[in-house]
Amino acid sequence: MGDLTILYYTSNKEDPRFEKRIQEKLLENCGGLPIVSVSHKPISLGKNICVGDVGVSGFNMFRQVQIALKDAKTKFVLSAEADCLYSPDYFTFVPERDDICYRNSNLYVMGDHRDYWYYKKEGATHAQIIGREFYLKTLDKLFEGAPMWSPEEKNFPKERHHKVDIFDKIEYYRTENPVFQIKTHRSMRYFTHSDRIPVYDLPYWGNGKEIRDFYLKGVKEKYER
């Protein structure tokens, strides 16, 4: 899909070695799509916009997305986060409409202290594709009268916070291969909703122990409880 930009946003709180491996897999699988990255520290990924150490919150995450949306020029944008791994087919889905949030339902999550996945039944902001202008208008409206940055969710106007989805309508699609998140104890929120049935192997990705050992190699001891 040519009319698509990847939005990569990070607070740079993960171990740099871990995040570098995430970025390398993103570049390997994204098919050369343009990337706009918005970070708290300078990074070398696509076109980078560094906003400084503004604090970690859902509020600031959406501000970073808003900044990326203003810089991107394509009709659609695709989310990518600093603790998520995306299979090649994640980058090929073509939406029917540009005024709906489309979320991938083939999601899994792996905690840093275990070597298997749980299936995540609900969609997430880290695996979605949206019309750029629609997303930007939604965020512009959300942030009306709000400060530029806030380390607290309560500064969302109209009493909206990170538990309230900003989209009124969401459609779900399913990639052939999964997207998954590695939850470390450095992430903004360690706990997430998922089932509790261990999955030890995933299509395309392979064995959970091998995945965990590779991506947390050299840093995993910092994450273990």
Side-chain angles (χ1 to χ4, degrees):
M1 180 176 172
D3 204 5
L4 177 63
T5 297
I6 298 168
L7 306 186
Y8 180 94
Y9 40 94
T10 176
S11 59
N12 301 106
K13 299 302 182 186
E14 302 288 355
D15 186 289
R17 291 167 291 186
F18 170 73
E19 190 165 351
K20 184 175 185 293
R21 291 164 191 154
I22 295 288
Q23 293 172 5
E24 288 172 345
K25 181 56 71 172
L26 173 65
L27 290 170
E28 178 184 331
N29 286 352
C30 74
L33 289 170
I35 300 173
V36 177
S37 60
V38 184
S39 55
H40 290 197
K41 297 177 182 179
I43 61 174
S44 179
L45 182 67
K47 179 177 180 180
N48 179 237
I49 302 170
C50 178
V51 298
D53 188 8
V54 296
V56 181
S57 66
F59 184 102
N60 288 347
M61 181 199 78
F62 280 117
R63 272 295 189 201
Q64 289 177 246
V65 171
Q66 185 186 43
I67 289 169
L69 288 167
K70 290 179 179 179
D71 190 84
K73 308 303 179 188
T74 52
K75 184 175 182 180
F76 293 97
V77 292
L78 189 69
S79 295
E81 294 190 4
D83 59 357
C84 296
L85 288 154
Y86 302 91
S87 57
D89 52 320
Y90 175 67
F91 304 95
T92 61
F93 175 74
V94 180
E96 294 182 359
R97 295 170 54 177
D98 62 3
D99 60 347
I100 290 177
C101 173
Y102 291 88
R103 286 187 178 160
N104 185 15
S105 63
N106 196 0
L107 301 185
Y108 288 79
V109 60
M110 172 185 283
D112 54 17
H113 62 287
R114 62 177 182 257
D115 55 9
Y116 50 83
W117 292 273
Y118 289 143
Y119 176 62
K120 186 173 173 61
K121 296 179 180 179
E122 57 199 49
T125 57
H126 63 253
Q128 62 185 19
I129 183 169
I130 314 170
R132 186 186 68 85
E133 291 187 4
F134 169 68
Y135 201 173
L136 184 56
K137 288 178 181 177
T138 301
L139 288 179
D140 286 347
K141 183 178 180 181
L142 178 71
F143 283 120
E144 282 180 2
M148 183 61 190
W149 302 105
S150 171
E152 299 180 7
E153 317 294 354
K154 68 180 182 181
N155 284 313
F156 274 126
K158 300 179 182 179
E159 299 182 350
R160 302 192 82 163
H161 52 86
H162 70 275
K163 292 183 180 179
V164 179
D165 205 295
I166 64 172
F167 298 106
D168 294 324
K169 186 171 179 58
I170 297 173
E171 296 285 344
Y172 290 91
Y173 70 99
R174 186 177 181 87
T175 53
E176 179 180 356
N177 296 307
V179 168
F180 71 90
Q181 188 174 37
I182 299 178
K183 281 286 189 180
T184 76
H185 285 77
R186 298 188 181 195
S187 57
M188 184 169 66
R189 301 182 188 94
Y190 181 73
F191 295 101
T192 187
H193 293 291
S194 65
D195 67 18
R196 288 296 184 265
I197 302 173
V199 177
Y200 294 93
D201 294 274
L202 283 182
Y204 176 79
W205 299 105
N207 179 260
K209 184 179 186 304
E210 293 176 357
I211 287 291
R212 180 183 183 276
D213 287 349
F214 175 78
Y215 283 97
L216 296 179
K217 182 179 180 181
V219 300
K220 63 182 179 180
E221 66 276 8
K222 295 183 180 181
Y223 295 138
E224 290 176 344
R225 287 177 156 176

